[in-house]
């Protein structure tokens, strides 16, 4: 099969990971061009990978030598960039979330996806490609833990990432802790259970990082979700874990529990000293989900070659955004919000 000619739009914390994977590890992709506003990012890619660079994303998309684009820019730009790319006849892999709010271009983005069934669209909820979550889903679906009663999920970035997050959320609207962080676990819960929440009560604070209040961010957000069958989920998103990147999930069923990554261990090393027994921890999301990031892109490229739709759809993105937005509204108003 012919290689898929690719452009990468956005070369920041995650865009650079996607770009390097595509160039070095995905043989079926041929990276032709990259876009960023940051000249240092463009220079790095030009020098190390010899790829054409753009500071105008539309010019990159209009390049006839591009079949597919990866959109890895700040979230508020996902709708306009996706619409432009699809209307120009390009396949789109778009990072999560689909956008910041439904009424800020997301409905137009949905229309463009629906108007172009001939083009592959896939959303970057990469946790669905993680081996542990895939096994957890299989166990749930095989009935190994019975009926699900409760799900608890932690998604907490390390304190060491606070500076880069503060810059990201100052330069752009991140969406806030529910739309930016908890949305991953919202997607996983929908994927594991096939159920949609009907109500949320959510809260947030900035105790661990008061400076975030000035840019309208909660450092920690806690969402309680109630589902129509009575199932309950608690999601905790945050940016303050002292030990590392803490991503943990527990599914409690009538006949057993599943826990994924109860401690974010980096590897098999344990250090025994007079300070005690220490297990090194993962320090960032790229480390925890490196294989999932790689596998989602391999699958997307294969789907483009086979003229198939993406595995994670626009509808998945919209449903997750509606839930995350309801959590945000609840935390802002202090009220129980119907979803
Ligand atoms: P970043 O700020 O590190 O990088 C953003 C990139 O977009 C940079 O190359 C920058 O030059 C470019 N850019 C910035 N402002 C722009 C503008 N106004 N117009 C055009 N380009 C602009 O961002 P990031 O942390 O890499 O996040 C990018 C996206 O990826 C976000 O939507 C985020 O939610 C998502 N993300 C997903 C995951 C995941 O786990 N799947 C992890 C991190 C980020």
């Amino acid at each position: 099969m012919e290689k898929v000619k690719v452009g990468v739009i956005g070369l920041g914390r995650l865009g650079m990971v996607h770009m390097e994977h595509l160039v070095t590890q995905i043989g079926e992709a041929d990276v032709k061009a990259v876009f960023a506003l940051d000249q240092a990012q463009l220079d790095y890619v030009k020098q190390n990978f010899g790829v054409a660079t753009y500071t105008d994303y539309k010019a990159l998309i209009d390049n006839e030598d591009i079949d597919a684009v990866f959109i890895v820019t700040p979230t508020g730009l996902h709708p306009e960039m996706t619409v432009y790319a699809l209307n120009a006849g390009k396949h789109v892999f778009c990072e999560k979330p689909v956008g910041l709010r439904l009424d800020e271009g997301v409905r137009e983005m949905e229309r463009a996806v629906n108007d172009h069934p001939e083009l592959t669209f896939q959303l970057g909820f990469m946790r669905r490609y993680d081996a542990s979550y895939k096994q957890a889903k299989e166990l749930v679906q095989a009935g190994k833990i019975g009926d699900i009663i409760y799900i608890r999920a932690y998604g907490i970035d390390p304190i060491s990432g606070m500076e880069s997050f503060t810059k990201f959320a100052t330069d752009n609207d991140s969406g806030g802790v529910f739309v930016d962080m908890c949305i991953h676990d919202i997607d996983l819960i929908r994927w594991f259970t096939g159920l949609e929440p009907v109500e949320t009560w959510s809260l947030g604070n900035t105790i661990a990082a008061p400076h975030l209040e000035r840019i309208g961010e909660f450092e920690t957000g806690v969402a309680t979700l109630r589902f129509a069958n009575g199932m309950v989920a608690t999601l905790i998103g945050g940016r303050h874990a002292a030990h590392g990147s803490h991503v943990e999930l527990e599914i409690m069923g009538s006949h057993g529990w599943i826990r994924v990554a109860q401690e974010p261990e980096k590897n098999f090393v344990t250090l025994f000293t007079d300070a005690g027994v220490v297990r090194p921890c993962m320090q960032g999301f790229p480390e925890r989900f490196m294989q999932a990031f790689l596998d989602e892109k391999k699958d997307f490229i294969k789907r483009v070659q086979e003229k198939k739709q993406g595995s994670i759809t626009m509808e998945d993105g919209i449903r997750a955004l509606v839930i995350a937005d309801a959590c945000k509204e609840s935390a802002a108003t202090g009220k129980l919000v119907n979803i």
Side-chain angles (χ1 to χ4, degrees), residues 204-237:
N205 68 47
T206 52
I207 293 168
H211 70 282
L212 292 182
E213 204 166 335
R214 286 199 297 279
I215 52 171
E217 289 274 346
F218 287 127
E219 179 281 312
T220 287
V222 181
T224 304
L225 301 172
R226 186 175 69 78
F227 292 71
N229 70 348
M231 188 184 94
V232 175
T234 317
L235 316 179
I236 305 180

Side-chain angles (χ1 to χ4, degrees), residues 9-16 18 35-39 41-42 55 57 71-78 80-81 93-97 124-127 164 167-169 171-172 174 179-181 183-184 285-286 289 293 296:
I9 301 181
L11 293 172
R13 293 180 304 174
L14 183 55
M16 205 60 94
H18 281 324
F35 158 91
L37 290 186
D38 186 321
Q39 194 55 44
Q41 294 171 352
L42 294 174
T55 49
Y57 83 85
I71 296 176
V72 206
T73 47
T75 302
L77 296 166
H78 295 177
E80 70 168 69
M81 290 181 165
F93 177 97
C94 179
E95 256 314 320
K96 56 54 67 177
F125 280 134
M126 79 299 177
R127 293 192 191 180
S164 73
K167 182 174 178 341
F168 174 70
D171 295 348
N172 319 277
S174 80
V179 171
D180 187 45
M181 293 285 283
I183 202 159
H184 279 296
F285 66 84
F289 291 109
F293 281 126
E296 68 173 352

Side-chain angles (χ1 to χ4, degrees), residues 106-275:
V106 173
R107 288 299 183 196
E108 289 77 6
M109 181 175 171
E110 181 185 30
R111 263 196 298 282
V113 170
N114 291 338
D115 285 349
H116 291 287
E118 78 286 6
L119 297 170
T120 307
F121 172 86
Q122 183 164 319
L123 191 64
F125 280 134
M126 79 299 177
R127 293 192 191 180
R128 293 195 191 194
Y129 285 83
D130 177 74
S132 302
Y133 291 132
K134 282 203 282 193
Q135 189 180 355
K137 179 175 160 73
E138 280 165 19
L139 292 168
V140 166
Q141 294 199 327
K144 295 284 184 200
I145 60 168
D147 296 324
I148 299 175
I149 304 164
Y150 174 73
I151 298 180
R152 172 179 65 84
Y154 291 176
I156 306 180
D157 278 343
I159 285 179
S160 58
M162 183 67 82
E163 197 180 324
S164 73
F165 168 71
T166 303
K167 182 174 178 341
F168 174 70
T170 303
D171 295 348
N172 319 277
D173 184 349
S174 80
V177 70
F178 300 106
V179 171
D180 187 45
M181 293 285 283
C182 296
I183 202 159
H184 279 296
D185 287 313
I186 289 170
D187 178 64
L188 282 182
I189 293 173
R190 293 187 59 250
W191 187 59
F192 285 139
T193 65
L195 299 174
E196 303 288 343
V198 292
E199 199 168 44
T200 180
W201 187 48
S202 303
L203 296 164
N205 68 47
T206 52
I207 293 168
H211 70 282
L212 292 182
E213 204 166 335
R214 286 199 297 279
I215 52 171
E217 289 274 346
F218 287 127
E219 179 281 312
T220 287
V222 181
T224 304
L225 301 172
R226 186 175 69 78
F227 292 71
N229 70 348
M231 188 184 94
V232 175
T234 317
L235 316 179
I236 305 180
R239 324 249 181 212
H240 73 285
H243 56 290
S245 173
H246 197 116
V247 180
E248 176 183 348
L249 180 101
E250 181 175 87
I251 309 172
M252 197 180 279
S254 56
H255 293 85
W257 300 1
I258 298 168
R259 221 175 252 176
V260 178
Q262 71 185 4
E263 275 118 35
E265 291 162 6
K266 186 180 179 70
N267 51 34
F268 295 110
V269 171
T270 305
L271 179 65
F272 300 80
T273 69
D274 55 2

